[in-house]
Amino acid sequence: MGTGYYQMGHAFFRLHLPEEIMTPPNLSKFQIQNSQRPEEGYIDYTLEVVEDFNKIQDYVEQHRIGPEITRKDLRVWNTASGECRIFYIEGNPVPYGISLQQQEKNYHVWISQEIQELLCCDTIFFSMFSLEKHMIHQDAMILHCAYMEHPKGAILFSAASGVGKSTQ
C-alpha cells in the first residue's frame, strides 16, 4: 500500500492506496512533497478494493442512525462514528464505492473490485472523498460549472449536468 499527500485548496489529504489502483493523472496535480505537508490537520483516507462488496454494504447499513438522503448516484446517512456515503453510477443499481467516516478526519473507502479500472476517471475517483464537505470548512467550495474569461476576471455558468454549459 502506498501513501501520498495532497492539497486541494487549503485542505490537506493523506491517501493510503493499494498498489493495484490506477489513479487519475490529474491527482498528481495536487500531490505535495513531504516537506510541504503539515504535521497534523490533514484528512486521512484509506482505500481498499474488495471482492464481497455486499458484505460491506450490509455492515454500514446496519449502523445507520437517522434519516437517509438519496439521489440517483448517492445515498448518505450518519452512523455513530460519522457520515456514510454509498456511490453509484447513474443507471447502475450496483454501487461502486462506500465511504465511512471513522473519526473526525479519518475515512475508510471500499471500492468494488468490478469497477476498479474506472478509478482512472477523475469524476469516479474524486467523488469518493466528499471534497465539498471538507472545502466548506476551509472557506472554499466546489462548483460544477463552465466558465468564460472576461477582461475583469471570469464568468461562471453553473447548472445541472447535461444542460449544455460547455456547448452553448
Side-chain angles (χ1 to χ4, degrees):
M1 179 156 312
T3 300
Y5 294 87
Y6 304 87
Q7 181 178 2
M8 295 175 193
H10 297 290
F12 291 90
F13 298 87
R14 178 171 65 178
L15 304 182
H16 305 280
L17 302 167
E19 300 297 330
E20 69 265 24
I21 290 184
M22 293 288 296
T23 59
N26 285 328
L27 180 63
S28 65
K29 294 178 181 178
F30 302 101
Q31 191 163 19
I32 58 175
Q33 303 303 315
N34 285 343
S35 61
Q36 297 172 300
R37 69 178 174 89
E39 290 297 318
E40 55 187 45
Y42 48 82
I43 302 151
D44 204 28
Y45 281 91
T46 300
L47 278 69
E48 178 183 355
V49 177
V50 294
E51 254 182 72
D52 190 358
F53 206 66
N54 291 330
K55 183 178 178 181
I56 304 297
Q57 188 172 352
D58 290 343
Y59 170 78
V60 296
E61 287 183 0
Q62 289 173 6
H63 293 85
R64 180 182 345 195
I65 297 173
E68 176 180 321
I69 299 169
T70 304
R71 64 180 202 205
K72 294 177 185 177
D73 59 349
L74 180 67
R75 294 173 55 207
V76 182
W77 63 80
N78 286 319
T79 69
S81 62
E83 185 179 85
C84 180
R85 293 183 178 208
I86 299 183
F87 305 95
Y88 298 83
I89 295 173
E90 192 172 336
N92 187 347
V94 180
Y96 66 84
I98 297 174
S99 172
L100 178 63
Q101 184 177 8
Q102 297 180 313
Q103 294 176 359
E104 182 183 353
K105 292 188 174 188
N106 185 289
Y107 295 78
H108 195 106
V109 178
W110 293 273
I111 301 156
S112 171
Q113 185 177 33
E114 296 175 13
I115 65 91
Q116 82 179 55
E117 69 276 359
L118 296 178
L119 292 175
C120 63
C121 300
D122 289 335
T123 52
I124 300 290
F125 186 82
F126 287 111
S127 68
M128 295 183 288
F129 300 110
S130 311
L131 296 175
E132 79 289 345
K133 179 180 174 177
H134 305 300
M135 300 298 276
I136 200 74
H137 296 293
Q138 305 296 328
D139 294 329
M141 62 189 312
I142 296 173
L143 297 173
H144 178 87
C145 62
Y147 76 95
M148 185 172 76
E149 287 188 48
H150 184 273
K152 294 183 180 180
I155 300 171
L156 302 178
F157 300 93
S158 182
S161 295
V163 299
K165 292 180 300 297
S166 60
T167 57
Q168 296 299 316

